[in-house]
């Protein structure tokens, strides 16, 4: 019997299922990065709930954080499952899970735009908390609806409008407060900021691959304690206050908040739209890095996380974070996400965030938030054609107006008065255009999207599209979703009429010579697609 050496028998393919490791060395690096990011965010929202809304520390540590812990553990478990499923489907072990945690923009929006006005008007932190729960629930529902309609809205909204609105949030509600807190204690905050900026914006690495965020926190904490900024008795008090938080349903509070929906719609609708469009961008970014996730699965999970969290008492909607490619470059696989969620979730259940808050100086924590604000703000200008920078600035303005209006109201309230008592004429005489800021900033996120869209279409000489966008602005103004304190019929007819006139001007210019010539963006080749 002879053997044919030129045509050896074909061996059957290896049908052994792919072995996907639960943990790798790269997961360790990614865990420190994502886990620290989530930890900083939870510390921040804990301080905001207690310090700004005056919700009792026992309720924050015993109800809000355990509720958030439920959402974090379930969400990161789900995204670990998605990553492992994708790895099996594509028969490769290098799939990176999507990062997931409490949304930074929404943290500040729900505190300063939703809950704080209710607290100032009623002097009741519980009522403000209920409004926050209802708002988070609405965000979740809108995101789940976005799983089915999001791609269409994504195609209609120019990138400059979307990113410009997000930049407005990042500059005002994410960056300004941390920057002010840093400069209150600059000798702690500035060296921490230097570490973060060098570590995240340059290619300089620390020896042994030590996580830059961890080093920044440790250095700032050491400076704070050595300089006498921190108080040992506060740590002792926080330790004595430790109590295990058992998640329990707060359906009654949620329903109480939902009984007055109208004031919440102006921010819930546009931020819900932003949530699912941002999730789409993050999924696209992950696909560009080599991991193609199903968009609908992601959106449904994000929406469900907000709904479940609100039912247990958390007004902070979680979401897929930006930055999947970065964790992939760090070697993260499917395990780092679950470990990060479980680590922070367990801290939430054990009530340890009060101790961490007493141990870690605020100026050592907030530079990471300033970094996030700088990154998001810069991205708005970097990821659009140069000409569209004008539209980015236009989309910034409503959030700047809303922030400034809020600062004025808070300052007047602290002085024991209000804008009504001082009068608009007196404020105008002092150079404060109070009424204009108030009108421009009401429904700021949605106003930014509409204004940025109108300006983008004008820059591209799409005058009819700009007229359609202004018609949408007129309709939303008339029913009070924007430029009005609450939803009602004929809420602000004067502003609605202004949008109508804007559209008429655009239509008139559409008939002029040269109005239909195409606009060429010479720098489009330099624009990096995706976020």
């Amino acid at each position: 019997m002879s053997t044919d050496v030129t045509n050896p028998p074909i061996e059957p393919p290896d049908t052994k299922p792919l072995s996907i490791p639960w943990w790798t060395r790269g997961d360790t690096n990614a865990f420190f990065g994502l886990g620290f990011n989530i930890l900083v965010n939870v510390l921040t929202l804990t301080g905001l709930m207690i310090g700004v809304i005056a919700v009792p520390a026992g309720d924050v540590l015993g109800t809000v954080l355990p509720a958030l812990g439920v959402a974090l553990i379930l969400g990161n478990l789900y995204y670990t499952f998605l990553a492992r499923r994708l790895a099996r489907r594509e028969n490769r072990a290098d799939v990176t899970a999507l990062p997931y945690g409490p949304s930074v923009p929404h943290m500040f929006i729900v505190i300063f735009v939703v809950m704080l006005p209710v607290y100032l008007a009623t002097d009741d932190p519980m009522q403000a908390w209920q409004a926050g729960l209802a708002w988070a629930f609405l965000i979740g529902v809108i995101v789940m609806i976005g799983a089915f309609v999001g791609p269409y809205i994504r195609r209609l909204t120019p990138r400059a409008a979307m990113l410009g609105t997000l930049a407005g949030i990042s500059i005002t509600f994410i960056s300004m407060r941390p920057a002010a807190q840093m400069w209150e204690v600059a000798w702690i905050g500035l060296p921490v900021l230097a570490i973060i900026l060098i570590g995240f914006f340059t290619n300089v690495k620390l020896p042994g691959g030590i996580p830059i965020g961890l080093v920044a926190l440790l250095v700032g904490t050491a400076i704070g304690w050595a300089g006498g900024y921190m108080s040992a008795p506060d740590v002792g008090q926080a330790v004595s206050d430790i109590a295990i938080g058992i998640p329990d349903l707060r359906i009654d509070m949620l329903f109480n908040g939902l009984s007055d929906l109208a004031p919440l719609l102006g921010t819930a609708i546009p931020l819900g739209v932003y949530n699912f469009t941002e999730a789409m961008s993050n999924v696209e970014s992950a696909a560009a890095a080599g991991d193609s996730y199903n968009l609908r699965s992601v959106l449904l999970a994000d929406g469900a996380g907000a709904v479940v969290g609100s039912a247990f008492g958390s007004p902070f909607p979680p979401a897929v974070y930006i930055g999947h490619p970065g964790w992939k470059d760090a070697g993260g696989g499917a395990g780092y996400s679950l470990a990060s969620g479980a680590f922070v979730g367990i801290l939430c259940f054990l009530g340890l965030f009060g101790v961490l808050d007493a141990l870690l100086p605020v100026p050592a924590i907030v530079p990471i938030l300033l970094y996030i604000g700088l990154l998001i703000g810069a991205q708005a200008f970097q990821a659009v054609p140069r000409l569209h920078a004008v539209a980015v600035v236009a989309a910034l303005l409503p959030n700047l107006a809303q922030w400034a209006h809020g600062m004025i109201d808070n300052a007047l309230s602290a002085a024991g008065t209000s804008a009504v008592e001082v009068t608009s004429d007196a404020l105008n005489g002092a150079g404060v255009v109070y009424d204009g800021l108030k009108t421009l900033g009401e429904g700021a996120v949605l106003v930014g999207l509409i204004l940025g869209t109108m300006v983008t279409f004008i820059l591209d000489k799409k005058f009819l599209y700009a007229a359609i966008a202004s018609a949408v602005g007129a309709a939303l103004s008339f029913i009070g979703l924007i430029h009005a304190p609450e939803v009602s019929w004929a809420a602000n007819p004067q502003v609605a009429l202004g949008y109508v006139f804007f559209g008429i001007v655009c239509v008139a210019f559409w008939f002029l010579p040269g109005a239909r010539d195409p606009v060429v963006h010479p720098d489009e080749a330099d624009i990096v697609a995706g976020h």
Side-chain angles (χ1 to χ4, degrees):
M1 182 169 140
S2 63
T3 302
D4 187 350
V5 295
T6 60
N7 295 292
I10 300 175
E11 296 183 4
D14 186 7
T15 58
K16 183 179 178 181
L18 177 69
S19 176
I20 305 171
W22 282 98
W23 195 259
T24 66
R25 182 176 180 180
D27 279 315
T28 302
N29 293 330
F31 164 74
F32 275 109
L34 178 62
F36 173 69
N37 194 350
I38 298 175
L39 184 67
V40 168
N41 293 341
V42 177
L43 280 169
T44 301
L45 65 87
T46 301
L48 291 174
M49 282 288 283
I50 297 172
V52 177
I53 309 301
V55 175
D59 286 325
V60 175
L61 299 176
T63 298
V64 176
L65 295 193
L68 184 60
V70 170
L72 286 176
I73 291 176
L74 292 179
N76 282 286
L77 177 63
Y78 175 76
Y79 284 114
T80 301
F81 161 75
L82 284 187
R84 294 181 67 85
R85 187 178 70 175
L86 180 62
R88 291 193 186 93
R89 180 185 302 136
E90 299 186 355
N91 198 38
R92 57 189 181 90
D94 62 344
V95 173
T96 300
L98 291 168
Y100 178 83
S103 170
V104 174
H106 291 63
M107 266 175 13
F108 291 89
I109 291 293
V110 73
I111 289 290
F112 291 104
V113 179
V114 176
M115 298 173 69
L116 183 58
V118 175
Y119 173 61
L120 293 177
T122 64
D123 199 30
D124 183 357
M126 303 307 288
Q127 194 168 331
W129 183 8
Q130 291 170 359
L133 296 181
W135 181 84
F137 178 85
L138 286 175
I139 289 286
V141 171
I142 293 167
V143 170
M144 287 192 285
I145 295 173
F148 303 96
V149 303
Y152 303 102
I153 295 178
R154 176 71 174 173
R155 284 198 292 267
L156 292 172
T157 306
R159 172 174 288 184
M162 189 66 66
L163 294 184
T165 301
L166 177 58
I169 297 172
S170 75
I171 291 172
T172 53
F173 296 104
I174 297 178
S175 300
M176 288 302 297
R177 183 180 176 88
Q181 290 173 309
M182 283 174 53
W183 260 263
E184 279 185 331
V185 196
W187 51 279
I188 298 176
L190 286 179
V192 174
L193 180 64
I195 295 171
I196 288 172
L197 293 179
I198 293 170
F200 288 140
F201 283 126
T202 74
N203 60 358
V204 178
K205 303 296 182 184
L206 293 174
I210 303 173
I212 198 73
L214 178 62
V215 171
L217 179 64
L218 293 177
V219 168
T221 300
I223 294 174
W225 278 98
Y229 180 75
M230 305 301 290
S231 167
D234 288 345
V235 178
Q237 180 61 45
V239 170
S240 67
D241 290 339
I242 291 178
I244 295 178
I246 306 298
D248 61 324
L249 289 173
R250 295 300 179 100
I251 302 296
D252 55 335
M253 294 183 64
L254 176 58
F255 282 161
N256 287 338
L258 289 171
S259 64
D260 188 15
L261 280 178
L264 306 176
L265 296 177
T267 54
I269 291 176
L271 278 174
V273 172
Y274 160 72
N275 250 28
F276 62 70
T277 51
E278 179 64 15
M280 284 187 284
S281 300
N282 291 339
V283 170
E284 291 170 8
S285 177
D291 297 336
S292 297
Y293 287 98
N294 180 272
L295 175 61
R296 183 165 295 172
S297 299
V298 171
L299 289 171
L300 289 174
D302 277 8
V307 169
V308 170
S310 66
F312 279 96
S314 169
F316 302 103
V320 166
Y321 280 175
I322 215 166
H324 167 278
W327 305 131
K328 193 170 188 69
D329 288 343
Y336 85 101
S337 176
L338 178 58
S340 300
F343 168 67
V344 179
I346 290 171
L347 291 178
C348 290
F349 296 148
L350 295 180
L352 293 177
F353 274 94
V355 177
L356 291 175
D357 191 44
L359 283 172
L360 306 176
V362 170
I365 298 172
V366 292
I368 188 68
L369 296 175
L370 180 57
Y371 155 74
I372 293 170
L374 294 174
L375 191 67
I376 295 173
Q379 180 193 59
F381 294 94
Q382 295 168 345
V384 301
R386 191 174 296 115
L387 179 63
H388 287 178
V390 177
V392 170
V393 175
L396 283 169
L397 297 178
N399 278 289
L400 290 172
Q402 184 182 46
W403 176 79
H405 169 255
M407 290 293 101
I408 295 167
D409 278 349
N410 293 347
L412 292 175
S413 176
T417 184
S418 67
V420 174
E421 294 179 9
V422 175
T423 74
S424 296
D425 289 340
L427 291 170
N428 284 333
V432 178
V433 190
Y434 180 83
D435 290 339
L437 289 173
K438 182 174 184 292
T439 301
L440 176 59
E442 286 169 327
V445 177
L446 192 50
V447 177
L449 290 175
I450 293 169
L451 188 57
T453 298
M454 291 159 55
V455 175
T456 301
F457 285 146
I458 284 179
L459 296 172
D460 289 339
K461 294 202 293 190
K462 298 178 179 178
F463 299 132
L464 288 183
Y465 289 151
I468 294 172
S470 66
V472 173
L476 296 179
S477 301
F478 195 78
I479 63 175
L481 274 176
I482 59 176
H483 304 307
E486 63 182 13
V487 176
S488 63
W489 190 250
N492 199 331
Q494 291 185 344
V495 173
L497 185 61
Y499 278 108
V500 170
F501 286 162
F502 185 101
I504 291 173
V505 171
C506 292
V507 172
F509 269 86
W510 184 73
F511 289 101
L512 295 179
R516 304 179 200 181
D517 295 342
V519 175
V520 178
H521 297 287
D523 59 332
E524 280 187 340
D526 299 329
I527 301 300
V528 179
H531 295 307

